[in-house]
Structure formats: structure tokens, C-alpha cells
Amino acid sequence: MSAERREMNLGQLLPFLLIAVLIVPMVLMSRKQKRAMAQQQELQNSIEVGDKVMTTSGLYGYVANTADDATVDIEIADGVVTTWLRAAVREKVSDDVVEETVEDDDEAVAEVEETKADETKADEKSVESETPKSTAEVAPPLEQTKKS
């Protein structure tokens, strides 16, 4: 009798265990999502004029105006001010991060230009050294007839 009782107890507990296995991860994920939303809301509320920010599309700029609750004006270049939703501001950025990125980009562009110049010189030399050896001829175009 005790063996049958154990089997019945396990059979009765199985649905509850399955439900618990499904609910626990959902609760943990929702807590993590709420925490991320709270951090984003705190960031959006803390934006002030003069802050260096990066948008969700990767555009860097300085905050020019925060008068509206829904939008923020970002100066992306001298005299160029664009209006963005506050939700589009991804993070505040320190100036040295942007400068390092620009310096790295300048170096990368210089390397690419040097590589292209070297490749062009090599291509010119290879073209000069090669002489056409093909005796292929182009066939004349076919005449097209109209179907009646």
C-alpha cells in the first residue's frame, strides 16, 4: 500500500512541478526586463543640455534642448540640430570615447588608402607585363525574324 501511495503522491505533484518550472523563469525574466526599463527611464530623465549622447542608431551628438517631455534636440555638427524621441537616446557618452573612435577610424582610412594605392600599382605592372595572346573572334549578331 505504501508504494501505491508514493506513486499517487508523485502523480499528483507532477503537474505542480511542471507549472513551477515554467513560471519561475518567466518571473525572473520579467524582473530583469523591469530593471532594464527603469534604468532606461532614469537615463532619459537625466539628460541635460550639453550632455554627449549616442542614439540607438549610433549617432553621436550634444544635447541642445530638453524642453519637450517626449523629444530632445541633438546637435550633431556645428549648427546642425536634429530632433529625436527621448527613447532613441541609448546612452550618455564621455568625450574621450568618441575621440578614440575617430582617431582609430582615421588610422584605418589611411591604411586602406595605402593598400589601395599599392594594389593599383601592382595591377598596372601586371597589365603591362601581360600581352594579349587570345585569337578569339566575336561572332556577328544573329538576325531576328518576325513571326507571323
Side-chain angles (χ1 to χ4, degrees):
M1 285 266 185
S2 67
E4 287 180 10
R5 268 191 174 171
R6 287 182 192 161
E7 288 179 20
M8 273 176 51
N9 287 340
L10 289 177
Q12 291 173 350
L13 289 177
L14 188 61
F16 295 113
L17 290 174
L18 289 174
I19 291 172
V21 166
L22 294 174
I23 290 177
V24 168
M26 288 174 46
V27 169
L28 293 176
M29 285 188 292
S30 68
R31 289 181 64 203
K32 185 177 179 182
Q33 186 177 12
K34 284 180 185 178
R35 190 177 321 122
M37 286 176 57
Q39 287 176 342
Q40 187 67 17
Q41 188 66 36
E42 181 181 326
L43 168 73
Q44 291 171 5
N45 290 336
S46 69
I47 295 172
E48 297 176 356
V49 174
D51 287 344
K52 180 83 172 183
V53 294
M54 181 178 79
T55 64
T56 55
S57 60
L59 183 74
Y60 291 93
Y62 291 97
V63 177
N65 185 4
T66 59
D68 190 10
D69 290 338
T71 61
V72 61
D73 291 341
I74 299 176
E75 184 175 12
I76 56 176
D78 291 335
V80 180
V81 178
T82 57
T83 302
W84 293 76
L85 288 174
R86 281 186 180 261
V89 175
R90 182 176 186 174
E91 61 187 77
K92 286 185 181 180
V93 181
S94 62
D95 288 331
D96 51 334
V97 172
V98 176
E99 289 173 6
E100 288 175 9
T101 305
V102 170
E103 290 173 6
D104 292 343
D105 288 346
D106 291 342
E107 291 173 8
V109 168
E111 288 177 15
V112 169
E113 288 174 353
E114 289 175 11
T115 305
K116 285 183 180 179
D118 293 342
E119 289 175 359
T120 304
K121 289 178 184 177
D123 287 343
E124 288 173 358
K125 288 181 182 178
S126 66
V127 169
E128 290 173 359
S129 65
E130 294 178 7
T131 57
K133 298 179 183 177
S134 175
T135 58
E137 294 181 15
V138 178
L142 296 174
E143 293 183 27
Q144 296 184 2
T145 59
K146 292 184 181 179
K147 293 183 180 179
S148 303

